[in-house]
Amino acid sequence: MLAACAPRGQMAYAPDAAQIGSVREVFVATTRGLDENGNYSGKRVEAVSFGRYGISVPPVREAGEIKWPPRSGKIDAETQFLTTYAGRYQSSGDFRSGLNKELRANGGEAVIFVHGFNNTFSEGVYRIAQMAHDLDLPGTIVHYSWPSAAQPLGYVYDRDSALFARDGLERLLNEVEDAGAKRIVLVAHSMGSTLVMEALRQIAIRQRSDVLDRIGGVILISPDIDVDVFRAQALAIPELPQPFIVFSSERDRVLRLSATLTGQRDRLGTLKDISRVGDLPITFLDTAAFSSGSGHFNLGNSPSLLRLLDGILSVDASLDADRIARTGLLPGAVLTVQSATQIILSPVVAIGNELQR
């Protein structure tokens, strides 16, 4: 909580950084309102706005690290994330047109990232750029920014905002599909996972099979969802998109606090007994061995885990449990209960030490 009270990162515009860093292009849809300075805030608005950003990932950094530019003073394109360009589309038609061109250049594949609790607009955009770079994600990168209060004590506001933002995410999925996407992978962190599941449930209830058929995978990172609520959401969807992957950790301190606040024993992201979702075709990747700090974003923050997973989360990868167990693609123990599979990841170094004993 003390860390969350520190000054928040803000975008700094530096077109020349494109000559130094590796630029990742991020398309953005948001239901955030604008503040008095014209920046996206935590205010809720019903209309969806669209934009496009170029984010320079600096060459001198550790995998998983995001170093923000100073609020005042000299910027450093060698070590800091910087924005090389930013623009807002005047209409959804303009957004689809720009997106269509990028999709055609990337084989029609799109990755949509949905941020979690306590995030600013800038933090979400920079985070997906970092993950796209560190995990070598292919395809067109799209970010959905919902109106988080970006305050450590704003949990209830954010939980309501995630529900408020369902229609906006559904709208974005429709826009991406209309722009010509052949395959869409949804990646969500923390409370953003609730938003993704609610949007998928909503699309299923509307019987929009045309959109659901385009979903080529779902990845939930430290999902802050009540297990019973998740089951209800998943069972409302005729067929869960595959692969369907949950990154979990029983050492996740943020989800432990969330469980306490909600009066529950577990959240989906800390679930140890996978028999509770055993009838669902889900793969759990337990990242507890890679935890540091709060342990709430191991996939994005751990250099060793990022190296381990580099490339295998590509849109083309079929990350199914049978293939992992059969080929030893990921080091760790594999437990299968009915349709659900849990893989307890182990660092390669740790495995090597065990074999030498």
Side-chain angles (χ1 to χ4, degrees):
M1 187 172 294
L2 289 175
C5 292
R8 309 300 287 261
Q10 292 183 343
M11 288 187 178
Y13 297 93
D16 292 343
Q19 307 303 317
I20 299 174
S22 175
V23 177
R24 295 305 303 237
E25 189 168 58
V26 182
F27 288 83
V28 177
T30 183
T31 45
R32 292 177 182 265
L34 298 174
D35 63 18
E36 61 277 6
N37 297 316
N39 298 316
Y40 287 117
S41 67
K43 179 182 177 182
R44 302 168 184 156
V45 295
E46 295 176 0
V48 183
S49 300
F50 301 98
R52 186 174 186 171
Y53 294 77
I55 308 301
S56 173
V57 180
V60 182
R61 57 182 284 273
E62 282 281 343
E65 178 187 29
I66 297 178
K67 186 173 182 180
W68 289 88
R71 289 176 176 265
S72 61
K74 187 177 180 180
I75 61 175
D76 182 4
E78 291 282 347
T79 61
Q80 296 163 358
F81 277 66
L82 298 168
T83 302
T84 60
Y85 63 86
R88 295 172 185 168
Y89 288 101
Q90 296 301 309
S91 69
S92 59
D94 292 340
F95 174 74
R96 287 195 305 273
S97 179
L99 194 58
N100 174 263
K101 183 178 180 180
E102 190 70 15
L103 284 166
R104 284 189 282 112
N106 287 288
E109 298 177 336
V111 177
I112 299 178
F113 178 76
V114 183
H115 66 80
F117 161 67
N118 187 24
N119 267 243
T120 66
F121 177 82
S122 300
E123 288 166 349
V125 174
Y126 276 25
R127 176 60 76 179
I128 183 54
Q130 172 258 313
M131 289 184 63
H133 180 272
D134 290 345
L135 287 171
D136 194 23
L137 294 178
T140 300
I141 305 301
V142 184
H143 176 48
Y144 181 61
S145 183
W146 53 275
S148 164
Q151 296 178 2
L153 298 181
Y155 187 87
V156 175
Y157 180 91
D158 276 16
R159 188 171 62 179
D160 289 344
S161 285
L163 297 178
F164 165 84
R166 291 173 296 191
D167 290 349
L169 179 55
E170 181 184 6
R171 166 82 180 277
L172 174 60
L173 286 167
N174 290 334
E175 297 289 353
V176 174
E177 194 264 340
D178 288 344
K182 299 176 181 177
R183 195 174 189 188
I184 302 169
V185 170
L186 283 164
V187 181
H189 176 234
S190 186
M191 197 176 286
S193 301
T194 297
L195 173 51
V196 163
M197 291 304 299
E198 281 292 303
L200 290 177
R201 176 181 181 274
Q202 191 164 290
I203 292 170
I205 291 173
R206 296 189 201 277
Q207 299 183 339
R208 290 295 307 273
S209 59
D210 55 328
V211 177
L212 287 177
D213 289 344
R214 291 289 188 272
I215 309 298
V218 175
I219 299 171
L220 305 183
I221 306 167
S222 306
D224 188 3
I225 312 178
D226 176 273
V227 179
D228 294 328
V229 170
F230 173 75
R231 284 189 55 82
Q233 293 166 329
L235 292 173
I237 303 168
E239 292 185 19
L240 284 182
Q242 294 299 313
F244 195 106
I245 304 165
V246 174
F247 283 87
S248 64
S249 171
E250 61 181 292
R251 298 180 185 176
D252 190 324
R253 297 179 184 176
V254 174
L255 291 188
R256 286 181 185 175
L257 176 59
S258 175
T260 300
L261 291 172
T262 56
Q264 300 294 318
R265 183 184 63 184
D266 294 309
R267 308 300 280 173
L268 184 67
T270 59
L271 185 64
K272 290 186 290 185
D273 180 12
I274 65 169
S275 66
R276 295 182 63 185
V277 292
D279 55 326
L280 300 174
I282 303 171
T283 300
F284 281 80
L285 297 183
D286 188 331
T287 65
F290 297 86
S291 290
S292 62
S294 68
H296 191 49
F297 203 17
N298 295 336
L299 176 59
N301 293 331
S302 169
S304 56
L305 183 57
L306 284 166
R307 284 192 294 269
L308 182 65
L309 297 175
D310 183 25
I312 70 167
L313 293 184
S314 67
V315 178
D316 288 328
S318 176
L319 191 55
D320 61 271
D322 288 342
R323 187 170 68 92
I324 293 170
R326 186 170 60 252
T327 65
L329 181 63
L330 295 176
V334 180
L335 171 67
T336 300
V337 178
Q338 294 176 269
S339 297
T341 298
Q342 183 181 45
I343 302 169
I344 303 174
L345 297 177
S346 299
V348 176
V349 173
I351 292 178
N353 291 340
E354 287 295 325
L355 292 175
Q356 291 173 6
R357 289 181 180 178

